[in-house]
Amino acid sequence: EPDAAEAIRAALDAAAALEARISEWRADSETSAINRGAGGPSVPAGPDVRDLVDLSIVWARRTGGAFDVTGGPLFELWESARRCGALPPDAEIESCRALVGYERLSVGPEGVRLGRARMRLGFGGIGKGFAADRLAEVLRASGFEDFIVAAGGDLRIGGSRGGTPWEIGIRNPRRDGLLAVCGLGDGAVSTSGDYERFFEVGGVRYSHI
């Protein structure tokens, strides 16, 4: 138990340090500096942020742009709409869409560059999973192979529960209970739904996804 407690403290310390670098909500983070420098030259960034951007570009390409961490302007517009409970004008949506495009995001040895002014990175769809992977590395380096790292809807699993697979329950988004249960050894599960973060206009649900 003392070794486990120390490993958990080390993992939580690593999570706090990583958040300080990648969170777009912290004005002093590397991500915020990149956002402020959008349209200009590359902004210096450490290896964690460069690795995260590289990984984000890989998944943007693999999904044909369905996953795109440059969607920050649209997400901010959605947040504003959620707060006031009304849809934004189409022209405002299109203006934000013009600022989205991973093709204008690049990584080099000197840092990260957003190619157009007012573009914004937002790691909400990948940051917690990236952090969970890093925390798993910390736990393994501390000698622990059997663990669950829980970061909201993102789970990073290691080893087993006394020799049997961990059982992961996936919540039913429309009623009480579970939609499914899956057994998992070493791997990860990430879920997101339209049942927690949403607003309704005219009986239509608009989620953050």
Side-chain angles (χ1 to χ4, degrees):
E1 188 172 279
D3 291 341
E6 181 59 35
I8 291 169
R9 278 194 294 271
L12 292 176
D13 287 346
L18 184 59
E19 181 186 17
R21 291 189 286 273
I22 72 172
S23 173
E24 67 266 28
W25 307 113
R26 296 181 57 142
D28 59 347
S29 73
E30 294 177 19
T31 300
S32 291
I34 294 165
N35 287 342
R36 287 192 296 270
S42 293
V43 176
D48 284 329
V49 171
R50 292 201 308 272
D51 287 350
L52 181 53
V53 173
D54 276 334
L55 190 61
S56 298
I57 292 172
V58 166
W59 282 102
R61 289 171 177 161
R62 290 183 69 175
T63 62
F67 175 83
D68 193 332
V69 293
T70 68
L74 275 171
F75 187 73
E76 288 181 356
L77 185 63
W78 178 88
E79 284 282 6
S80 176
R82 183 177 65 88
R83 285 193 298 269
C84 67
L87 296 178
D90 288 346
E92 199 168 351
I93 295 174
E94 290 306 312
S95 176
C96 288
R97 281 170 57 89
L99 300 173
V100 178
Y102 71 91
E103 300 90 347
R104 295 191 289 265
L105 172 64
S106 59
V107 186
E110 66 279 9
V112 177
R113 182 174 184 269
L114 288 167
R116 185 170 179 178
R118 295 174 52 230
M119 288 183 72
R120 286 185 61 83
L121 291 175
F123 293 123
I126 194 171
K128 286 192 297 183
F130 182 81
D133 280 341
R134 292 296 172 89
L135 269 59
E137 293 172 5
V138 172
L139 293 173
R140 285 205 165 105
S142 299
F144 291 91
E145 295 293 332
D146 305 317
F147 57 81
I148 294 179
V149 176
D154 299 79
L155 297 177
R156 179 67 170 88
I157 314 299
S160 66
R161 183 177 184 177
T164 60
W166 297 103
E167 285 196 342
I168 309 302
I170 300 173
R171 177 180 166 183
N172 191 308
R174 293 294 181 261
R175 56 181 181 271
D176 292 339
L178 299 177
L179 182 69
V181 176
C182 62
L184 193 66
D186 186 60
V189 174
S190 180
T191 60
S192 192
D194 67 351
Y195 51 91
E196 290 188 357
R197 305 186 68 182
F198 68 92
F199 65 98
E200 292 186 356
V201 176
V204 179
R205 181 184 302 229
Y206 295 92
S207 80
H208 66 303
I209 301 175

